[in-house]
Amino acid sequence: SETSGILIVDESTDKLAMEVEEEEKKCVKQWVEAHCLVDGDGRARCSFHFCRKLFKDKKFLHKHLVKKHPEYLHAEQAKIHDKYMMNSWEEETVRPIPQAIVDCGQHHGYVPVCVVGAAEPIAPDPEPQLHAKAEERRLRLEEERRAYDEEQRLAFEESQRHNQNDRGRDDDNDDGGEDEDAGGADNRPARFVDVDDMKEEKVQLDFENLDIPPPPKKKKKKKKKLA
């Protein structure tokens, strides 16, 4: 039920919640006092070594600590909840059990598993399931690899067939040219170069009528006159 916008769980829980809130308020006051350094003129300084900011009085320092360093305040307030959590856990008839760590060998390492059962708690062995998943993954990869190899083989055979057909057409064209004209090879375009019938060309160099310029004259260095 709800009363004045406040959700009431039960009397004991609400009583514990009010105690925790009072403890947190006291913690804030104690934490602020512990991190406040008051100078002789009444000014307050932040005690954190990485801050050390100076304020007019404690009121402004209180706002600074809560706003700029809340993570340290929350850490102190969290310590208040420890005893209430421990008492609540001890009063429970069905207590939550932490996960167990099972060594599944070199390939899988340590695997956390949930502990089940109340009278006789047991932790199921995850290793068979992990091995089954690994085997399934291995078979899938092998199937993908075989499909890829088959695709590559078919592509290679198709390219080989195209090359054989192209060579056959070239041979037919060469035979037809020889039958029509014995000098068919000479009637090919001038820019065509047959790599199987390349002719060696010799170039003769003549050095008799070369005009060789004389070497440049050396500049004479001027001698410095001694004063």
Side-chain angles (χ1 to χ4, degrees):
S1 62
E2 293 187 5
T3 303
S4 301
I6 301 175
L7 178 63
I8 299 177
V9 181
D10 54 66
E11 293 183 0
S12 60
T13 303
D14 292 340
K15 184 178 179 181
L16 289 176
M18 293 177 63
E19 289 181 8
V20 172
E21 290 179 358
E22 291 296 328
E23 292 286 342
E24 288 181 347
K25 291 178 181 178
K26 292 179 182 179
C27 178
V28 173
K29 294 180 181 179
Q30 294 174 359
W31 182 79
V32 171
E33 289 293 333
H35 294 84
C36 176
L37 299 176
V38 181
D39 294 345
D41 55 357
R43 293 186 297 178
R45 184 183 299 275
C46 179
S47 66
F48 285 104
H49 67 279
F50 53 84
C51 182
R52 309 292 293 179
K53 287 188 177 180
L54 186 64
F55 297 89
K56 185 177 181 180
D57 53 30
K58 285 186 177 182
K59 180 180 179 181
F60 294 99
L61 177 60
H62 177 94
K63 294 180 180 179
H64 165 78
L65 289 171
V66 175
K67 184 178 180 181
K68 297 298 182 180
H69 310 298
E71 62 275 13
Y72 300 97
L73 175 59
H74 295 163
E76 289 295 324
Q77 289 178 328
K79 297 177 182 179
I80 300 173
H81 298 256
D82 291 346
K83 64 178 181 180
Y84 294 98
M85 294 174 62
M86 182 59 66
N87 294 335
S88 176
W89 187 82
E90 290 179 351
E91 292 174 359
E92 289 288 340
T93 55
V94 181
R95 301 174 182 175
I97 302 176
Q99 289 183 329
I101 303 298
V102 180
D103 186 2
C104 296
Q106 181 179 2
H107 296 286
H108 304 293
Y110 294 96
V111 180
V113 295
C114 295
V115 179
V116 296
E120 297 181 358
I122 58 173
D125 186 6
E127 191 169 2
Q129 186 177 2
L130 293 175
H131 282 312
K133 289 183 179 180
E135 183 66 17
E136 181 181 353
R137 181 174 179 272
R138 185 185 65 82
L139 295 176
R140 185 177 69 254
L141 292 177
E142 287 184 357
E143 183 65 24
E144 293 177 355
R145 189 180 299 109
R146 283 195 294 268
Y148 176 78
D149 294 341
E150 182 66 16
E151 183 180 353
Q152 294 295 318
R153 186 184 65 80
L154 295 176
F156 177 75
E157 292 178 355
E158 184 68 19
S159 63
Q160 289 293 102
R161 284 195 295 270
H162 282 297
N163 293 336
Q164 291 177 358
N165 295 335
D166 293 341
R167 284 196 296 269
R169 285 194 293 269
D170 293 340
D171 293 341
D172 294 340
N173 293 335
D174 293 341
D175 294 341
E178 290 178 358
D179 293 339
E180 293 176 359
D181 186 4
D186 297 332
N187 294 332
R188 294 173 181 173
R191 61 184 179 180
F192 176 78
V193 178
D194 190 355
V195 295
D196 296 327
D197 189 20
M198 296 183 66
K199 296 181 180 179
E200 183 181 356
E201 296 183 359
K202 296 183 180 180
V203 179
Q204 185 177 1
L205 302 178
D206 186 6
F207 298 97
E208 294 182 358
N209 299 324
L210 291 178
D211 295 333
I212 302 175
K217 296 181 179 180
K218 296 182 179 181
K219 295 182 179 180
K220 295 182 179 181
K221 296 182 179 179
K222 295 182 179 180
K223 294 182 181 181
K224 296 182 179 180
K225 297 181 179 180
L226 299 175

